[in-house]
Amino acid sequence: MGAGIGILFAPDKGTRTREKIKDSFDDAKNDFKHKFENVSDELKHKFSIAKNDLEETFEDIVSNMSNKTEDIITLLEAKLADLKLQNAKLQKETSSTSKQNS
């Protein structure tokens, strides 16, 4: 901005002054464009890393839940087997008691 003001007050022809102003604006535009592209690339990179981290975390959670589910199923199967065994014993006792009472 200071360069633009300096150009306006410099003793030069109007066409040359307008050319300097245009060049100064073009330089500023190109500088802004490069900075924007750099920030954009940096954000894309950070979002990519965050996405990968999120995917890994999700996969870890799913894997952990799968392992927990298997543990629960194994526990429930053991409990079911135990209940079947207790039921068989109870049936046997009930059957023996009813035969003795008859």
Side-chain angles (χ1 to χ4, degrees):
M1 182 151 181
I5 292 173
I7 291 171
L8 289 174
F9 289 106
D12 213 343
K13 289 187 176 185
T15 56
R16 180 73 182 130
T17 300
R18 285 189 295 278
E19 186 178 314
K20 286 180 181 178
I21 292 171
K22 182 187 173 300
D23 289 344
S24 181
F25 279 116
D26 287 344
D27 289 344
K29 180 181 79 169
N30 287 334
D31 185 46
F32 178 76
K33 180 181 175 186
H34 290 299
K35 286 180 181 178
F36 180 78
E37 288 172 351
N38 288 340
V39 168
S40 177
D41 290 342
E42 188 175 327
L43 284 174
K44 285 178 187 176
H45 178 69
K46 287 183 179 185
F47 278 121
S48 177
I49 290 172
K51 179 184 171 206
N52 289 338
D53 289 347
L54 182 61
E55 287 174 349
E56 287 178 17
T57 301
F58 178 74
E59 288 174 8
D60 289 345
I61 289 171
V62 169
S63 176
N64 191 17
M65 291 304 292
S66 178
N67 290 338
K68 295 290 183 189
T69 302
E70 288 298 321
D71 291 344
I72 291 170
I73 289 172
T74 301
L75 177 69
L76 290 174
E77 287 173 340
K79 291 286 186 184
L80 180 61
D82 187 43
L83 288 173
K84 284 182 178 180
L85 183 62
Q86 288 178 11
N87 186 40
K89 286 181 182 177
L90 185 61
Q91 291 292 327
K92 204 180 234 185
E93 289 174 7
T94 305
S95 178
S96 299
T97 307
S98 354
K99 286 182 183 177
Q100 288 176 356
N101 290 337
S102 305

